Amino acid sequence: MGNGSGAASSVRAARALPRPTDERDQAAALRRRSRVPLRRPYGIGRKGFDELLAAQGGVCAVCDVPDPEHLDHDHRTGWVRGILCFNCNGGPGRFRDSPERLARAITYLRGTTWQRVLIHPGVYQMCSPTRGRPPSPRS
């Protein structure tokens, strides 16, 4: 018995699960994952988890990585949104679950990402929509 809440301990248990690499590992991961309590913190059982994962095609709802293991939920309401991989599960919380903040981050990335632009057949120049020219290789 730990001194933390049930939700925190179930999140720690879910994070500790290794990624399956072959059929034997996948079966073992499923057995371990089935022991992670979901009903208490999220109101969803193993059957609901498996149904949601099947509805997503067995992949992360954001990036399509197979066999995601993290149940994403709205931090204000507690409602389950989907099943995500480890990397995608951290994203919404980092943007405080705000679509507006995430949209601004996307706009920022699009405006600062260097892109190859064809200026002559076989000749490309690196350009950024808002940042001008790339630094000189000699500087």
Side-chain angles (χ1 to χ4, degrees):
M1 314 269 176
N3 58 4
S5 72
S9 63
S10 66
V11 170
R12 282 192 300 273
R15 285 183 184 154
L17 299 175
R19 300 289 306 157
T21 56
D22 62 21
E23 285 183 31
R24 197 172 26 158
D25 288 344
Q26 288 175 349
L30 181 59
R31 284 192 304 276
R32 281 191 302 274
R33 206 170 50 217
S34 67
R35 292 191 299 257
V36 175
L38 298 169
R39 188 172 308 280
R40 186 173 18 156
Y42 305 113
I44 184 173
R46 169 58 35 202
K47 183 178 178 186
F49 182 93
D50 292 339
E51 289 172 356
L52 183 55
L53 186 58
Q56 291 180 196
V59 297
C60 172
V62 174
C63 71
D64 293 336
V65 166
D67 196 31
E69 298 177 347
H70 297 272
L71 198 61
D72 180 44
H73 66 284
D74 186 301
H75 292 109
R76 286 174 294 147
T77 65
W79 285 50
V80 171
R81 293 188 284 216
I83 302 173
L84 305 177
C85 69
F86 175 79
N87 290 327
C88 292
N89 189 44
R94 300 272 191 297
F95 290 98
R96 300 184 191 141
D97 291 340
S98 167
E100 293 81 18
R101 286 177 184 266
L102 188 55
R104 286 196 305 269
I106 291 168
T107 300
Y108 169 78
L109 286 174
R110 285 187 176 146
T112 60
T113 302
W114 292 95
Q115 299 172 359
R116 289 182 353 151
V117 175
L118 182 66
I119 58 172
H120 189 69
V123 179
Y124 293 89
Q125 180 177 16
M126 296 300 291
C127 297
S128 173
T130 61
R131 301 291 184 220
R133 301 176 60 82
S136 166
R138 288 180 269 185
S139 54

